[in-house]
Amino acid sequence: MTIIHISTDYPDAYVPAKTHAIKNLVDAAQTGHAQFVYSLNRINISAGKAGLAALNGWEIEETDSGQDGVACLTYAAPSKGLFLRSVMTAIARYIVRDIQARGIEPDLIQGHKLSMEGIIAYHVAKALNVPYVLSVQGNSDRTILNVRRDLWTVYRRIFHEAAMVFPFTPWALRYLENVLGKRHGPTIMLPCITEQDSVIEPRGTRPVIVSAFHLRHWRLKNLPALIAAAKHMQGIAPDFELHVIGGGEAEHIAEVEEQIVKSGASNIRLLGAIPHDQIQNVMNGASALAMLSHRESFGMVFIEALLAGCPVLYPDDAAIDGYFDDKGFAISAPAGDQPAINGAFEKLVLDNAALKEELRTWQQSGSAAFFQKEQIAENYMDGLNVAMGKDN
């Protein structure tokens, strides 16, 4: 089949630093299907200029994507969801014309987020009389739907009429069904693909908890809560250390170091950047990975850690929440609840041997395969076939 992908999160020449979550998924389907990607990039304009644009027609342009099979589109629109439906509908009209001009005959349209690309995919699919499927990313969809409650009727129709929905995580589906109603059409959970998905057996280690993120994001990643928990551990396990993996500009490093000094904690080490292909080996040598981000759609690092034999601490109602509710080796805590975070640190260190033994059993059961590239790709292909009404 021929699939048209529509994504604001696909790396292109205009913004090459976007996450590879969507690209990895598109790449996973390349062996079985012809594909074309519309990669979208917003140029911010004021609300006043947006009002004129709404009257005169939204400005949408194609720039060199630097990649075959990828059209890099820029569009001028305001922030905070203003004129969202109008802009997305205009982009849909542009894409329909472009598909026809290129002579592409798609069998399926995929919008890689309900709240934005979903609107586009819906209109493109209706115009071309083909089915559409949706990805549900979590944080972005929840943020936009909370702001644009006036569009819930639109989102409800798009969500329920999709031929298939691929949520990244259970909590993201739970949120949408709470606000848009329970979906009765086919739905397949589809974790993000990471290239670092080797299964490494857990082993005994020093009492070290690691966290991993670029230091410019230290506020978003809730570093002060991790620092406070590390200081708390000084009175619980004197040899405990918190290791923070991640690079940053001099100003970011200085900000983080200032936070550590102000806390009075003496058991925190900044490891700097580590090549991604080495991250699993580093995590295998730690007691646990902890990251309590204020916002986290999925967090590939949690899966990389679990596959590497490293228990994890993740934020409630975000990230991998819903995948491991009955597993002791994956602990959740509210990002704003310091006593709960402190308690989780204690458990991860004091009960580490038992948690790693449970994690070893989980790995050996075959359950880990669900989060590896090969199985994710297979589940994705199965979902596309279902959407097309084909037998698997």
Side-chain angles (χ1 to χ4, degrees), residues 80-99:
K80 299 181 179 178
L82 297 174
F83 296 93
L84 179 63
R85 185 180 183 184
S86 175
V87 175
M88 296 300 110
T89 303
I91 294 173
R93 290 194 293 267
Y94 179 98
I95 289 176
V96 168
R97 292 194 299 269
D98 192 71
I99 288 172

CSV table of all heavy atoms in Angstrom, one decimal, residues 80-99:
chain,number,residue,atom,x,y,z
A,80,LYS,N,-0.2,28.8,21.0
A,80,LYS,CA,-1.3,28.5,22.0
A,80,LYS,C,-2.6,28.1,21.4
A,80,LYS,O,-3.7,28.3,21.9
A,80,LYS,CB,-1.6,29.8,22.9
A,80,LYS,CG,-0.3,30.2,23.7
A,80,LYS,CD,-0.6,31.4,24.5
A,80,LYS,CE,0.7,31.8,25.3
A,80,LYS,NZ,0.5,33.0,26.2
A,81,GLY,N,-2.5,27.5,20.2
A,81,GLY,CA,-3.7,26.9,19.6
A,81,GLY,C,-4.7,27.9,18.9
A,81,GLY,O,-5.8,27.5,18.6
A,82,LEU,N,-4.3,29.1,18.8
A,82,LEU,CA,-5.1,30.1,18.1
A,82,LEU,C,-5.3,29.8,16.7
A,82,LEU,O,-4.3,29.4,16.0
A,82,LEU,CB,-4.6,31.5,18.3
A,82,LEU,CG,-4.5,32.0,19.8
A,82,LEU,CD1,-3.8,33.4,19.8
A,82,LEU,CD2,-5.9,32.1,20.4
A,83,PHE,N,-6.5,29.8,16.2
A,83,PHE,CA,-6.8,29.6,14.8
A,83,PHE,C,-6.4,28.1,14.3
A,83,PHE,O,-6.2,27.9,13.2
A,83,PHE,CB,-6.1,30.6,13.8
A,83,PHE,CG,-6.6,32.0,14.0
A,83,PHE,CD1,-5.9,32.8,14.8
A,83,PHE,CD2,-7.7,32.5,13.3
A,83,PHE,CE1,-6.3,34.2,15.0
A,83,PHE,CE2,-8.1,33.8,13.5
A,83,PHE,CZ,-7.4,34.6,14.3
A,84,LEU,N,-6.3,27.2,15.3
A,84,LEU,CA,-5.8,25.9,15.0
A,84,LEU,C,-6.6,25.2,13.9
A,84,LEU,O,-6.0,24.6,13.0
A,84,LEU,CB,-5.8,25.1,16.3
A,84,LEU,CG,-5.3,23.6,16.2
A,84,LEU,CD1,-3.8,23.6,15.8
A,84,LEU,CD2,-5.5,22.9,17.5
A,85,ARG,N,-7.9,25.1,14.1
A,85,ARG,CA,-8.7,24.4,13.1
A,85,ARG,C,-8.6,25.0,11.7
A,85,ARG,O,-8.5,24.3,10.7
A,85,ARG,CB,-10.2,24.4,13.6
A,85,ARG,CG,-11.1,23.5,12.7
A,85,ARG,CD,-12.5,23.6,13.2
A,85,ARG,NE,-13.4,22.7,12.4
A,85,ARG,CZ,-14.7,22.6,12.6
A,85,ARG,NH1,-15.3,23.3,13.6
A,85,ARG,NH2,-15.4,21.8,11.9
A,86,SER,N,-8.6,26.3,11.7
A,86,SER,CA,-8.5,27.0,10.4
A,86,SER,C,-7.2,26.7,9.7
A,86,SER,O,-7.1,26.4,8.5
A,86,SER,CB,-8.7,28.5,10.6
A,86,SER,OG,-8.5,29.2,9.4
A,87,VAL,N,-6.1,26.8,10.5
A,87,VAL,CA,-4.8,26.5,9.9
A,87,VAL,C,-4.7,25.1,9.4
A,87,VAL,O,-4.2,24.8,8.3
A,87,VAL,CB,-3.7,26.8,10.9
A,87,VAL,CG1,-2.3,26.5,10.4
A,87,VAL,CG2,-3.7,28.3,11.3
A,88,MET,N,-5.0,24.1,10.3
A,88,MET,CA,-4.9,22.7,9.9
A,88,MET,C,-5.8,22.4,8.7
A,88,MET,O,-5.3,21.6,7.8
A,88,MET,CB,-5.3,21.8,11.1
A,88,MET,CG,-4.4,22.0,12.3
A,88,MET,SD,-2.7,21.5,12.0
A,88,MET,CE,-1.9,23.2,12.2
A,89,THR,N,-6.9,23.0,8.6
A,89,THR,CA,-7.8,22.7,7.4
A,89,THR,C,-7.2,23.3,6.2
A,89,THR,O,-7.2,22.6,5.1
A,89,THR,CB,-9.2,23.3,7.6
A,89,THR,OG1,-9.7,22.8,8.9
A,89,THR,CG2,-10.1,23.0,6.5
A,90,ALA,N,-6.5,24.4,6.3
A,90,ALA,CA,-5.8,25.0,5.1
A,90,ALA,C,-4.7,24.1,4.7
A,90,ALA,O,-4.4,23.9,3.5
A,90,ALA,CB,-5.3,26.4,5.4
A,91,ILE,N,-3.9,23.6,5.6
A,91,ILE,CA,-2.8,22.7,5.3
A,91,ILE,C,-3.3,21.4,4.6
A,91,ILE,O,-2.7,20.9,3.7
A,91,ILE,CB,-2.0,22.3,6.6
A,91,ILE,CG1,-1.3,23.6,7.1
A,91,ILE,CG2,-1.0,21.3,6.3
A,91,ILE,CD1,-0.6,23.4,8.5
A,92,ALA,N,-4.5,20.9,5.1
A,92,ALA,CA,-5.1,19.8,4.5
A,92,ALA,C,-5.4,20.0,3.0
A,92,ALA,O,-5.1,19.2,2.1
A,92,ALA,CB,-6.3,19.4,5.2
A,93,ARG,N,-6.0,21.2,2.7
A,93,ARG,CA,-6.3,21.5,1.3
A,93,ARG,C,-5.0,21.6,0.5
A,93,ARG,O,-5.0,21.1,-0.7
A,93,ARG,CB,-7.0,22.9,1.2
A,93,ARG,CG,-8.5,22.8,1.8
A,93,ARG,CD,-9.2,24.0,1.4
A,93,ARG,NE,-8.7,25.2,2.0
A,93,ARG,CZ,-9.2,25.7,3.1
A,93,ARG,NH1,-10.2,25.1,3.8
A,93,ARG,NH2,-8.7,26.8,3.7
A,94,TYR,N,-4.0,22.2,1.1
A,94,TYR,CA,-2.7,22.2,0.3
A,94,TYR,C,-2.1,20.8,0.0
A,94,TYR,O,-1.7,20.6,-1.1
A,94,TYR,CB,-1.7,23.0,1.2
A,94,TYR,CG,-0.3,23.1,0.6
A,94,TYR,CD1,0.1,24.3,-0.1
A,94,TYR,CD2,0.7,22.1,0.7
A,94,TYR,CE1,1.4,24.4,-0.7
A,94,TYR,CE2,1.9,22.2,0.1
A,94,TYR,CZ,2.3,23.3,-0.6
A,94,TYR,OH,3.5,23.4,-1.1
A,95,ILE,N,-2.2,20.0,1.0
A,95,ILE,CA,-1.7,18.6,0.9
A,95,ILE,C,-2.5,17.8,-0.2
A,95,ILE,O,-1.9,17.1,-1.0
A,95,ILE,CB,-1.6,17.9,2.2
A,95,ILE,CG1,-0.5,18.5,3.1
A,95,ILE,CG2,-1.4,16.4,2.1
A,95,ILE,CD1,-0.4,17.9,4.5
A,96,VAL,N,-3.8,18.0,-0.2
A,96,VAL,CA,-4.6,17.3,-1.2
A,96,VAL,C,-4.2,17.7,-2.6
A,96,VAL,O,-4.0,16.9,-3.5
A,96,VAL,CB,-6.1,17.6,-0.9
A,96,VAL,CG1,-6.9,17.1,-2.1
A,96,VAL,CG2,-6.6,16.9,0.3
A,97,ARG,N,-4.0,19.0,-2.8
A,97,ARG,CA,-3.6,19.5,-4.1
A,97,ARG,C,-2.2,19.0,-4.4
A,97,ARG,O,-1.9,18.6,-5.6
A,97,ARG,CB,-3.6,21.0,-4.1
A,97,ARG,CG,-5.0,21.7,-4.0
A,97,ARG,CD,-4.9,23.1,-4.4
A,97,ARG,NE,-4.1,23.9,-3.5
A,97,ARG,CZ,-4.5,24.5,-2.4
A,97,ARG,NH1,-5.8,24.4,-2.0
A,97,ARG,NH2,-3.7,25.2,-1.6
A,98,ASP,N,-1.3,18.9,-3.5
A,98,ASP,CA,0.1,18.5,-3.7
A,98,ASP,C,0.1,17.0,-4.0
A,98,ASP,O,0.9,16.6,-4.9
A,98,ASP,CB,0.9,18.8,-2.5
A,98,ASP,CG,2.4,18.6,-2.8
A,98,ASP,OD1,3.0,19.5,-3.5
A,98,ASP,OD2,3.0,17.7,-2.3
A,99,ILE,N,-0.7,16.2,-3.3
A,99,ILE,CA,-0.7,14.8,-3.6
A,99,ILE,C,-1.2,14.5,-5.0
A,99,ILE,O,-0.6,13.7,-5.8
A,99,ILE,CB,-1.7,14.1,-2.6
A,99,ILE,CG1,-1.0,14.0,-1.2
A,99,ILE,CG2,-2.0,12.7,-3.1
A,99,ILE,CD1,-2.0,13.5,-0.2
